[in-house]
Amino acid sequence: MHLSKKCSAFKVVLGALVLVALLQMIYLSFLSKLHGKQQRYRYSELFGSSGKKNANPEKNSRKERLRYSLSTGGIFDPSGQYRVYKNLIKSDFSTNQKPGADASSHFLALATHTSINNLHHLNSLVERWQNPLSVAIFAHGQDVKFATALVYALTIFCPQIQALVDFHLVCHSGQMASFPEQDREHFTGLEDCAAVFARLETHRDKYQNYAIGGNGNVSYPNNLLRNVARGGTEANYILVIDIDMAPSADLHQQFLALVMRREPATDEIFVLPAFEIRHVRKMPATKSELVQLYQVGEVRPFYEELCPRCQAPTNYSQWVNRHSQGLGPLDVAYTLSWVDPWEPFYIGHRTVPLYDENFRQYGFNRISQACELHVAGYRFSVLNSAFVVHKGFKVQGEFHSRKDEENRRNRLLFRSFKEGLKTKYPSSPRRC
């Protein structure tokens, strides 16, 4: 009798456990279906048919423009090794820009370039710049699909990016980008702008800079990308920087005011002293904030550890010491002549010489263009309070394994490039 009661109690407990497990399965099934519906809703929000009554005409217009950009197949670069999708997705600003419109808003644009593992930096760059921006992205292999999908998602979920950023895509000539409608895995879990950047963050450590494709045999065409980004804007003046850098705050408005006070000479570019900051620090917005960090060693000249000569001609001590004299409005602090191996970051008119696209990977890609500016007769006017800052200190040992090999190859190319400048500018007395 006692044993029978125990068996009955055991059956009751077992039955209760089975019931709880069954209810849990039903609940999980409900959640899964609900999540699936949410994902289908998000997916239809991205790719819903334009024929639906409730379809968003703005999203459909953006989708159709992307379809058209991809349908062209892009164009090949002069070397025939790369395929370029210029204006893969245009910003609302560029799309709605009309002849005769207020020119001040498109007077100065920022142009930048990146691979997919650094695209997450775009968030903070747009937040700091808050004006028209042109981004050239290089993608290889499966990253071409990923880049196309995530760029489209950025322009749907991120209003500021949708408003201001023009995207261009570069891949190898043997690869083609396609409309990401069938690539649902790239959109799973994307519900807002933060989610898109969180997805991009997962790719930030996929490979080292310049070591694309795992074995490093894929050349990153940095100068081609710079030219694509430059050519993707109609602004009169352009600032070209790397995507993991940031300019000082309010630079667009300050530079416009400067040009209104004094018309730039046709042979003048405006240098922004370049710095780098420890990763843990907040990016300085003003020269006062930057100088404070500089004085305690939290900010230092760009490339100070790797190539101090590459930025030394900027004359950092003179620039920093001018802070004590009072800043006033943005203006030219002093003018310098170019000396080897200076590679400054600068604002230049859209007519300045392009970057030489033969330079790829590491070494001599920016100095070659600065050298040409010098031979072409440009003068280098250093601005008194504007600057750019790179996120993190550049240190030995963080580069990819082929860095020195690439540097040697590009050094030989630079020698040939300098000889070519003699032919290109036969009447110039300047040499690099």
Side-chain angles (χ1 to χ4, degrees):
M1 186 73 175
H2 184 66
L3 182 62
S4 176
K5 287 182 178 179
K6 280 188 174 182
C7 287
S8 297
F10 176 74
K11 288 178 180 179
V12 170
V13 172
L14 182 62
L17 290 173
V18 170
L19 180 62
V20 169
L22 184 61
L23 289 172
Q24 284 181 328
M25 289 177 64
I26 294 171
Y27 178 65
L28 290 173
S29 176
F30 170 75
L31 287 180
S32 177
K33 288 179 180 179
L34 178 63
H35 178 71
K37 285 183 178 179
Q38 289 175 333
Q39 288 304 316
R40 284 194 295 274
Y41 169 74
R42 284 300 182 187
Y43 193 80
S44 66
E45 189 178 15
L46 286 164
F47 299 110
S49 169
S50 56
K52 292 185 178 180
K53 289 183 179 180
N54 297 324
N56 187 320
E58 198 172 300
K59 287 188 176 70
N60 283 323
S61 174
R62 192 172 299 278
K63 179 181 70 174
E64 293 310 315
R65 290 201 301 269
L66 174 59
R67 279 190 188 277
Y68 175 76
S69 297
L70 293 170
S71 70
T72 65
I75 59 173
F76 290 153
D77 79 314
S79 74
Q81 297 181 43
Y82 297 95
R83 187 186 300 271
V84 179
Y85 293 91
K86 186 179 177 182
N87 292 320
L88 179 72
I89 302 182
K90 296 181 73 172
S91 65
D92 291 343
F93 179 88
S94 295
T95 302
N96 300 326
Q97 187 77 355
K98 295 179 175 62
D102 178 19
S104 64
S105 58
H106 211 173
F107 185 78
L108 171 64
L110 191 151
T112 190
H113 62 100
T114 183
S115 54
I116 195 67
N117 67 316
N118 275 326
L119 187 55
H120 63 277
H121 289 295
L122 180 63
N123 195 18
S124 57
L125 183 57
V126 172
E127 186 178 340
R128 169 61 63 89
W129 181 242
Q130 296 187 357
N131 280 283
L133 198 153
S134 179
V135 182
I137 302 169
F138 177 70
H140 172 72
Q142 290 301 311
D143 281 347
V144 176
K145 283 187 177 182
F146 182 77
T148 308
L150 268 292
V151 162
Y152 180 57
L154 284 171
T155 62
I156 296 299
F157 290 126
C158 305
Q160 199 169 25
I161 289 176
Q162 181 184 110
L164 296 172
V165 182
D166 293 330
F167 287 101
H168 322 280
L169 180 66
V170 176
C171 59
H172 277 170
S173 56
Q175 301 169 343
M176 292 188 71
S178 58
F179 191 73
E181 194 162 8
Q182 303 304 318
D183 301 319
R184 289 179 179 242
E185 73 274 11
H186 294 317
F187 298 99
T188 303
L190 299 185
E191 298 184 354
D192 54 25
C193 187
V196 182
F197 276 106
R199 182 67 51 80
L200 287 170
E201 283 276 357
T202 64
H203 270 60
R204 67 182 299 169
D205 298 320
K206 187 174 181 181
Y207 42 74
Q208 285 182 300
N209 288 347
Y210 300 122
I212 300 171
N215 54 12
N217 62 353
V218 177
S219 293
Y220 182 75
N222 31 34
N223 278 358
L224 169 62
L225 293 165
R226 290 182 174 111
N227 288 341
V228 169
R230 268 185 54 175
T233 174
E234 296 180 2
N236 294 325
Y237 286 87
I238 304 168
L239 168 62
V240 181
I241 61 174
D242 298 340
I243 202 167
D244 54 358
M245 305 182 87
S248 48
D250 302 320
L251 176 58
H252 187 280
Q253 295 84 342
Q254 293 172 2
F255 185 75
L256 176 61
L258 166 62
V259 173
M260 295 289 285
R261 292 196 312 272
R262 65 181 286 281
E263 184 177 354
T266 56
D267 61 351
E268 184 177 26
I269 62 169
F270 299 91
V271 174
L272 285 72
F275 296 84
E276 53 189 36
I277 188 171
R278 291 189 195 277
H279 276 295
V280 295
R281 286 290 186 176
K282 179 183 176 183
M283 298 291 274
T286 65
K287 185 174 182 178
S288 295
E289 294 176 2
L290 180 109
V291 169
Q292 288 180 3
L293 294 170
Y294 182 84
Q295 290 172 339
V296 296
E298 294 300 302
V299 162
R300 66 185 187 184
F302 185 59
Y303 254 49
E304 184 177 62
E305 182 175 327
L306 299 179
C307 182
R309 294 173 58 242
C310 293
Q311 297 297 327
T314 303
N315 199 335
Y316 286 94
S317 59
Q318 181 178 353
W319 189 83
V320 170
N321 289 336
R322 288 182 66 92
H323 178 69
S324 61
Q325 302 171 16
L327 294 179
L330 184 67
D331 208 341
V332 172
Y334 46 89
T335 299
L336 300 171
S337 297
W338 183 84
V339 293
D340 187 26
W342 193 23
E343 44 184 26
F345 293 91
Y346 64 87
I347 295 171
H349 194 268
R350 61 178 300 106
T351 56
V352 301
L354 293 172
Y355 294 83
D356 188 286
E357 296 172 7
N358 291 306
F359 291 93
R360 302 167 189 164
Q361 292 291 102
Y362 184 87
F364 296 91
N365 48 80
R366 284 194 308 108
I367 189 176
S368 55
Q369 202 250 4
C371 163
E372 179 166 358
L373 291 175
H374 168 67
V375 174
Y378 283 82
R379 51 192 170 114
F380 296 70
S381 297
V382 182
L383 295 173
N384 63 342
S385 57
F387 55 86
V388 293
V389 182
H390 177 269
K391 297 176 183 177
F393 283 173
K394 291 277 192 179
V395 296
Q396 298 285 355
E398 69 172 9
F399 288 89
H400 58 297
S401 60
R402 297 189 179 184
K403 166 183 169 284
D404 292 339
E405 173 189 336
E406 293 163 2
N407 204 41
R408 285 192 295 270
R409 183 179 66 244
N410 281 338
R411 178 178 285 108
L412 295 175
L413 182 59
F414 185 49
R415 291 174 185 169
S416 173
F417 173 80
K418 289 190 290 185
E419 288 299 314
L421 291 180
K422 296 177 182 177
T423 304
K424 189 173 182 179
Y425 303 96
S427 60
S428 174
R430 298 181 175 184
R431 294 290 179 265
C432 293

